[in-house]
Amino acid sequence: MIYTTTIRSELEDYIEREGLNLSQLGRRAGLNAGTVSSLMKGSRVLAVDQLDRITRVLGLPEGYYYEHYIQECIIETVPNWRRIRPFLFRCAELDCLNCIRQSVQLLLDNLTYSPLLFEVAEEFYTTGKFKAAAILYESVAASERRQHSERLAFCQYRLYILRLGDNQENNLQAAIQFEPFVERLDELDQLDALRDLANTYKSLQRWDKVDEIAAKLGTKAKIQLRLASQPEVKREVYYKKLKRPLFAYLAFSDLLRGGVCDARGAYEEALEYAYRYADLSWVKDKDEETEKWVQLFEGWAKANIFACKLMIGNESVVQEYAEFIELDEEELLIGILNITKAANRFDFDISIILEKFKSRLTSYFSLESDSAGIYTPQIIDEESAECCYQLAYYYLWNELYCEGFRYVLAGLEKAKFINNEARILSFVRLFEQFRDYASFDIQQQYQNSMTKGFDQDEKKISRVISSK
């Protein structure tokens, strides 16, 4: 865009209109007269703080002149990082994302700005300015795409995390796009990247990918554990770099692979994995963080041992498992899912248990449930949708139709929210199987649910309905 006026010319008009001298203008803006004089003569380039002060004096909204500022202070003069960096931070504060985008495009003609912009992106990321950070990561990655640098890989890692959301199709694409960059990361960053990727594929129920990535995670964690045990290694490097104690990555690999076995129906093998991370006596560190993670894995192992025994058909552990999840909120959703799945498989009577936990489960079936502990929001969303299905199945088969259809409708909304067509189809089939027992009101709610949200995508609804 070509501006016919400059900031200085508009300031001159204001001085003339108000009948001010430079000293009076300086007092209004909180600037000394010498600074104002230099700015008006054009011998000094505005800093963004000075621009904000002048903008307030002129009675204009914050950021009003930022696009002018890009023209006058980046395009028409030699860029100065001491001016540009505060400008980028100010743009992020005001959510002036287009100004950030314009500035970065101009700066990256000179690749010396790439590491500087990456540092700013990291600061944006750590302070929660995610949209601004994403613009910088994308720009830095584009500027380094042919250099195969570690910085390029780390930008892709950050973008992958920022792209994760409620839509499972989008999450799949984010994982596929990032996965080739994992091996280019620092060896310690690879551990967290593999853990994050495995969690994403787990939420998508891509069990072959979960197993493949969990195996890599376990191998790399063992290598790092051996290196860390060498006397000359400075252990603080690991503590500063990793989000969790080093042993936790190996234990997490076993937890994931046990989950894969469980999904495949190999419950005896899943039990073997659970017993591995149940016994962490080989972990020698005794610091507070290590103890916390040892206790967490012992708790998860206990829960998964209960689940495996249930899925083998051992009804005697149902009550003990229910008592366990009653005391551990993080295990409540997955616990009810496992108990209900086993009840549907082996015809257990769990009506008393379900009634007991009914009110506490409600929050998980809302469209915006929170993550807890090891479980990412994506995993919580997928497991809550599956739990709805299992509960609906249990109640409908036990002729408790009102409760059953309530979970069908809740689960259908959740499946639509996360854009999981296979899960949507499972609810459609279940409803159609029991349609004759649905009241007129329930059938109307179901029909509304099937059309609401699909209005913009006729192909999708026709594909789902035609698959019934």
Side-chain angles (χ1 to χ4, degrees):
M1 180 181 293
I2 298 174
Y3 294 96
T4 57
T5 62
T6 65
I7 298 169
R8 189 167 66 250
S9 67
E10 296 211 8
L11 194 54
E12 288 170 348
D13 290 343
Y14 175 78
I15 291 172
E16 183 178 348
R17 191 166 60 249
E18 295 290 319
L20 303 174
N21 58 38
L22 296 186
S23 295
Q24 291 169 327
L25 175 63
R27 281 195 294 272
R28 290 191 182 187
L31 301 170
N32 66 58
T35 298
V36 175
S37 178
S38 298
L39 293 173
M40 296 304 295
K41 291 176 182 177
S43 59
R44 174 183 291 193
V45 179
L46 274 168
V48 69
D49 175 64
Q50 295 167 343
L51 176 61
D52 287 339
R53 290 169 182 265
I54 289 170
T55 303
R56 284 194 292 271
V57 167
L58 297 180
L60 296 169
E62 291 181 304
Y64 183 84
Y65 286 116
Y66 280 6
E67 292 196 5
H68 286 73
Y69 190 77
I70 294 170
Q71 178 72 25
E72 296 181 27
C73 300
I74 298 180
I75 297 175
E76 296 178 358
T77 63
V78 177
N80 184 315
W81 184 245
R82 292 177 63 184
R83 288 196 304 269
I84 294 168
R85 188 178 186 278
F87 177 63
L88 293 174
F89 274 88
R90 190 70 179 121
C91 287
E93 288 174 12
L94 297 179
D95 210 28
C96 297
L97 301 182
N98 193 48
C99 289
I100 294 177
R101 193 173 288 108
Q102 289 179 48
S103 301
V104 171
Q105 288 171 352
L106 293 167
L107 292 172
L108 283 176
D109 288 339
N110 183 345
L111 290 180
T112 59
Y113 284 107
S114 182
L116 298 173
L117 290 169
F118 176 77
E119 290 175 6
V120 172
E122 285 290 273
E123 291 190 56
F124 286 169
Y125 184 87
T126 56
T127 54
K129 298 179 178 69
F130 298 128
K131 291 181 180 179
I135 292 170
L136 297 187
Y137 287 129
E138 287 170 354
S139 301
V140 172
S143 72
E144 300 199 2
R145 64 184 179 276
R146 296 180 182 176
Q147 300 184 46
H148 303 282
S149 67
E150 184 181 317
R151 186 162 53 239
L152 165 64
F154 201 81
C155 284
Q156 293 293 347
Y157 182 21
R158 289 293 201 214
L159 288 168
Y160 155 66
I161 296 297
L162 291 171
R163 287 165 180 160
L164 292 178
D166 302 314
N167 190 305
Q168 290 192 331
E169 286 298 319
N170 292 344
N171 293 344
L172 175 60
Q173 292 306 312
I176 291 170
Q177 186 173 340
F178 168 60
E179 193 173 341
F181 292 94
V182 172
E183 294 293 332
R184 301 188 203 175
L185 290 168
D186 172 272
E187 290 176 345
L188 294 180
D189 286 328
Q190 287 181 31
L191 298 179
D192 281 312
L194 289 169
R195 177 184 57 82
D196 290 332
L197 268 177
N199 272 330
T200 298
Y201 283 121
K202 180 183 177 184
S203 72
L204 296 166
Q205 297 191 316
R206 302 287 179 119
W207 300 114
D208 288 345
K209 293 297 295 182
V210 175
D211 200 37
E212 173 193 335
I213 291 170
K216 286 182 183 178
L217 177 60
T219 300
K220 291 178 183 291
K222 287 177 184 176
I223 292 170
Q224 293 303 321
L225 281 164
R226 284 198 297 270
L227 291 173
S229 67
Q230 296 175 7
E232 68 275 14
V233 172
K234 294 183 178 180
R235 296 175 67 80
E236 60 266 23
V237 173
Y238 290 90
Y239 293 128
K240 290 179 181 177
K241 189 78 172 176
L242 293 171
K243 297 177 182 176
R244 292 164 174 74
L246 191 49
F247 83 89
Y249 295 89
L250 180 56
F252 190 64
S253 170
D254 288 333
L255 189 153
L256 284 167
R257 300 195 78 182
V260 172
C261 294
D262 179 82
R264 292 171 174 170
Y267 303 114
E268 296 288 355
E269 193 176 350
L271 265 175
E272 291 177 15
Y273 278 110
Y275 287 130
R276 283 192 202 177
Y277 55 88
D279 179 14
L280 295 172
S281 57
W282 55 271
V283 178
K284 303 305 179 187
D285 292 338
K286 299 300 178 184
D287 58 277
E288 185 178 343
E289 185 72 2
T290 297
E291 290 295 328
K292 182 191 86 171
W293 282 97
V294 167
Q295 291 175 17
L296 285 172
F297 276 105
E298 288 174 348
W300 294 328
K302 188 174 182 180
N304 288 333
I305 289 168
F306 279 137
C308 290
K309 288 181 177 179
L310 264 181
M311 297 312 295
I312 292 169
N314 187 346
E315 188 176 3
S316 65
V317 302
V318 171
Q319 189 57 43
E320 192 177 358
Y321 191 13
E323 291 170 1
F324 173 80
I325 63 175
E326 184 176 11
L327 300 175
D328 191 343
E329 188 67 32
E330 293 183 1
E331 291 298 319
L332 179 60
L333 175 64
I334 186 65
I336 292 297
L337 170 57
N338 289 330
I339 290 172
T340 311
K341 191 186 296 184
N344 288 334
R345 183 175 182 180
F346 297 106
D347 199 24
F348 298 159
D349 182 358
I350 59 168
S351 54
I352 295 176
I353 292 172
L354 294 183
E355 187 61 30
K356 182 177 184 179
F357 291 106
K358 184 176 177 180
S359 61
R360 289 173 62 182
L361 283 170
T362 303
S363 64
Y364 290 104
F365 303 139
S366 68
L367 296 188
E368 295 185 5
S369 51
D370 296 325
S371 63
I374 193 175
Y375 305 113
T376 65
Q378 292 76 35
I379 289 175
I380 291 289
D381 282 339
E382 170 56 30
E383 289 184 343
S384 62
E386 185 180 2
C387 192
C388 276
Y389 178 83
Q390 295 295 336
L391 288 167
Y393 187 96
Y394 178 83
Y395 283 118
L396 290 173
W397 274 100
N398 284 280
E399 300 181 358
L400 298 169
Y401 300 117
C402 183
E403 282 296 290
F405 286 120
R406 184 168 74 86
Y407 283 111
V408 169
L409 294 172
L412 184 58
E413 288 300 312
K414 192 74 170 184
K416 286 164 52 185
F417 180 71
I418 62 178
N419 194 26
N420 186 326
E421 289 189 26
R423 186 67 69 191
I424 293 170
L425 182 57
S426 70
F427 285 107
V428 170
R429 286 173 171 162
L430 188 59
F431 183 88
E432 294 301 330
Q433 189 174 357
F434 289 89
R435 176 185 279 274
D436 290 345
Y437 301 96
S439 67
F440 176 79
D441 286 344
I442 291 293
Q443 294 198 38
Q444 282 295 109
Q445 290 179 53
Y446 171 76
Q447 190 61 37
N448 291 339
S449 182
M450 287 302 297
T451 54
K452 180 184 175 184
F454 287 115
D455 295 340
Q456 304 301 317
D457 194 347
E458 294 181 4
K459 289 183 179 179
K460 181 175 287 189
I461 188 171
S462 63
R463 184 165 63 245
V464 169
I465 293 176
S466 64
S467 301
K468 292 190 293 187

